[in-house]
Amino acid sequence: MRNLKILVLFDSAGTPPADQDYTEELKQKEWLAEAGVINTLKAAGHDVRIMGIYDDIRILIKEIDEHQPDVVFNLTEVFMGQAQLDKNIPALLDLLNIPYTGCGPDALILCNNKALSKKIMAYHRIKVPGFRIFLKGDRVWKPKKLSFPLIVKPLREEASTGISQASYVTDEEHLRERVDFIHKKVSGSAMAEEYIDGRELYVSIMGQQNRVEAFPIREIIFAKVPENEPKVATYKAKWDDAYRDKWGISSRFADDLPLDLTKKILAVCKKAYRALNIDGCARFDCRLTKDNELYILEANGNPDLAQDDEFAESARVAGLSYDTLLTKLINQAFHRKAG
């Protein structure tokens, strides 16, 4: 690939500094994805500029107008701190006619709304847990078609925000309590879905609709969680190292799955990828029951791209070095614009 002018765009925790100097932030663990992308693209010889964005879209328009990047490497996940607004960044880039990496706005709309994505997957005969949405002000009760235990989560948040062990409810009283918590503390609609007991699998996929590539399957292990206790990928289970160590939570490749079952799982996730019109990259969170029935819990558009996270790790085992992975994402950006 020729050397490009690349704008790496990411989330700022608040109003970004006027000089866009993130030198200290990029040294922190929480910034591994941003630092990895920036350093790898620079090492490849590209002309890289960086920009943090929070709530002012005008600075992005000004940056593009003044520096005319060839492509935007989009690492944003929120806007104004709200996950459901992430779709507006690629939508703006579409209006500005600038190629960008990752999902387009239509795919992000579907992935961000857990109920809508489940309805679409169910229409395509992809198994998903039974669920019910509770809007603010709704009377909360257990729908007849659902069976306890249930998991209660925010409808539109990502990265397991709002999910804890208390999200696992076994009766109507605790269902009401947890829905009320989501409404008041997380601010938004709540979704109660049936808890699927089984192995938690992550399937990473990238590509355009006509050419989709699935990477080796990862599995979340709950080594120290007692056999009769629920295994839930809570916010702490994903992001709190001390909590992960306490409960023996880690990830590994699911190498013990039979080849025919592995092919079936990857085929189902590819089908879901296409059904949700995803055109960049995604990670599907799944549960595999003891009877080898696969349920897709969530579709995550634009997953974390840190070198040590699930997506890049799976790509590496599939034969894609980190710099090759980033190059493929950029190539996809140009392919989508040309199409």
Side-chain angles (χ1 to χ4, degrees):
M1 177 185 287
R2 65 183 175 89
N3 290 345
L4 300 169
K5 291 194 296 181
I6 301 176
L7 173 63
V8 179
L9 185 66
F10 49 81
D11 300 315
S12 177
T15 301
D19 59 2
Q20 290 288 336
D21 184 359
Y22 288 89
T23 302
E24 293 306 312
E25 288 87 346
L26 290 168
K27 296 176 183 178
Q28 299 172 13
K29 179 181 177 181
E30 294 79 6
W31 290 68
L32 284 177
E34 292 85 351
V37 169
I38 292 166
N39 294 334
T40 300
L41 293 177
K42 284 182 176 179
H46 298 297
D47 178 7
V48 177
R49 290 180 61 85
I50 69 172
M51 169 167 279
I53 193 165
Y54 178 65
D55 63 355
D56 186 357
I57 210 70
R58 294 170 297 180
I59 63 171
L60 174 57
I61 297 173
K62 184 174 184 289
E63 169 71 22
I64 290 173
D65 184 56
E66 292 183 354
H67 297 281
Q68 296 292 309
D70 296 309
V71 62
V72 172
F73 204 107
N74 182 26
L75 294 174
T76 62
E77 296 179 345
V78 298
F79 188 72
M80 294 193 295
Q82 300 179 53
Q84 66 267 28
L85 296 181
D86 63 349
K87 62 184 181 295
N88 294 309
I89 299 297
L92 174 65
L93 296 174
D94 280 336
L95 290 177
L96 296 174
N97 200 31
I98 298 292
Y100 56 87
T101 62
C103 294
D106 49 352
L108 291 178
I109 289 171
L110 298 180
C111 290
N112 189 266
N113 188 317
K114 296 178 176 66
L116 185 55
S117 62
K118 282 179 169 62
K119 288 176 182 178
I120 292 173
M121 288 188 284
Y123 174 82
H124 287 275
R125 298 183 178 180
I126 297 167
K127 290 186 176 182
V128 297
F131 68 93
R132 175 72 162 79
I133 302 302
F134 294 100
L135 305 177
K136 281 190 174 182
D138 280 354
R139 182 174 68 86
V140 179
W141 81 103
K142 186 193 80 65
K144 292 181 180 179
K145 293 184 178 181
L146 298 187
S147 300
F148 285 117
L150 301 172
I151 299 291
V152 181
K153 60 178 69 172
L155 177 63
R156 294 178 180 272
E157 290 292 339
E158 297 180 350
S160 290
T161 298
I163 302 178
S164 69
Q165 286 300 120
S167 300
Y168 177 89
V169 299
T170 57
D171 56 53
E172 200 161 309
E173 179 184 355
H174 288 98
L175 171 62
R176 285 193 293 270
E177 289 177 359
R178 194 62 190 179
V179 168
D180 184 61
F181 172 85
I182 297 296
H183 287 166
K184 291 181 178 178
K185 301 296 184 181
V186 183
S187 184
S189 300
M191 180 173 73
E193 69 177 24
E194 291 181 321
Y195 174 73
I196 306 298
D197 190 22
R199 298 171 67 172
E200 176 122 352
L201 306 178
Y202 289 168
V203 179
S204 297
I205 297 181
M206 69 181 296
Q208 313 306 138
Q209 287 283 295
N210 61 345
R211 189 170 183 179
V212 177
E213 182 177 5
F215 300 142
I217 301 168
R218 300 276 290 180
E219 178 176 10
I220 304 302
I221 304 299
F222 301 85
K224 298 179 183 178
V225 178
E227 189 64 31
N228 60 338
E229 293 291 324
K231 281 72 174 176
V232 181
T234 64
Y235 184 85
K236 283 189 174 183
K238 288 187 176 181
W239 307 110
D240 187 323
D241 288 340
Y243 183 89
R244 289 169 63 85
D245 289 341
K246 176 181 178 180
W247 296 106
I249 299 171
S250 62
S251 62
R252 68 182 185 191
F253 285 99
D255 297 328
D256 61 328
L257 293 173
L259 181 59
D260 59 340
L261 180 57
T262 296
K263 289 181 177 179
K264 172 187 172 183
I265 293 170
L266 297 182
V268 169
C269 291
K270 285 182 179 180
K271 183 178 179 181
Y273 187 94
R274 292 189 172 99
L276 296 173
N277 200 33
I278 302 174
D279 55 354
C281 56
R283 191 195 72 235
F284 289 92
D285 299 356
C286 311
R287 279 287 169 108
L288 184 68
T289 71
K290 61 181 180 181
D291 297 321
N292 289 335
E293 294 291 339
L294 185 75
Y295 288 79
I296 294 184
L297 305 183
E298 292 189 15
N300 302 281
N302 290 355
D304 194 316
L305 290 179
Q307 294 185 60
D308 63 348
D309 213 281
E310 310 294 342
F311 192 91
E313 277 287 288
S314 292
R316 179 183 59 78
V317 171
L320 297 181
S321 63
Y322 192 61
D323 59 333
T324 301
L325 173 63
L326 301 189
T327 297
K328 290 195 71 167
L329 289 170
I330 292 171
N331 285 336
Q332 284 183 191
F334 288 116
H335 178 80
R336 174 173 51 215
K337 185 173 183 294

